[in-house]
Amino acid sequence: MAPDRRRPGDRSPADEGATYVISVAAELAGMHAQTLRTYDRLGLVTPARTSGGGRRYSRGDVELLREIQRLSQEEGVNLAGIKRIIELTREVEDLRAELESGGRRRGGEIVPAPRTTALVVWQPRRGRRSS
């Protein structure tokens, strides 16, 4: 049989629905299983759960674990910083998806603004209106 020549992150059709128990996910990510438990507890990676409570990591979870390790070891980012990076990345992805789906967002419409050097700060009204 030929050796697997896929690069990390490449997916085969078999990988699409694949999930891994914590020991396998830890090995694939090059980490200790206890590290994965800690990252789950901190909310960095949230794997699916079985009905019995066992963690099941997807291929995407394993890729995220590798990215966390890279940010920590190569870039020197602490776990709080990594968590914020993950949150902001997800927010950008969500906003991009909203724009691609027609620009509808939270009951309003996103419209292009003219180019200007002015800074506009808008906050939605909360509570009663002042007269």
Side-chain angles (χ1 to χ4, degrees), residues 26-38:
E27 184 176 338
L28 290 170
M31 299 178 177
H32 192 278
Q34 189 60 40
T35 304
L36 275 63
R37 290 183 188 93
T38 300

Side-chain angles (χ1 to χ4, degrees), residues 46-114:
T46 307
R49 298 282 185 151
T50 64
S51 58
R55 294 171 175 88
R56 293 295 182 266
Y57 291 85
S58 68
R59 172 56 72 184
D61 292 332
V62 172
E63 290 172 9
L64 181 56
L65 289 165
R66 289 177 180 157
E67 179 64 7
I68 290 168
Q69 186 174 47
R70 186 193 70 76
L71 286 168
S72 175
Q73 293 179 357
E74 294 176 20
E75 304 295 333
V77 181
N78 65 23
L79 294 180
I82 292 171
K83 185 172 184 176
R84 188 67 180 134
I85 289 168
I86 292 168
E87 290 168 351
L88 289 171
T89 300
R90 288 182 179 149
E91 187 174 328
V92 167
E93 289 169 355
D94 291 346
L95 290 170
R96 191 170 283 139
E98 285 179 23
L99 284 172
E100 291 172 358
S101 68
R104 302 295 294 173
R105 179 183 157 144
R106 296 185 192 96
E109 189 172 341
I110 298 173
V111 294

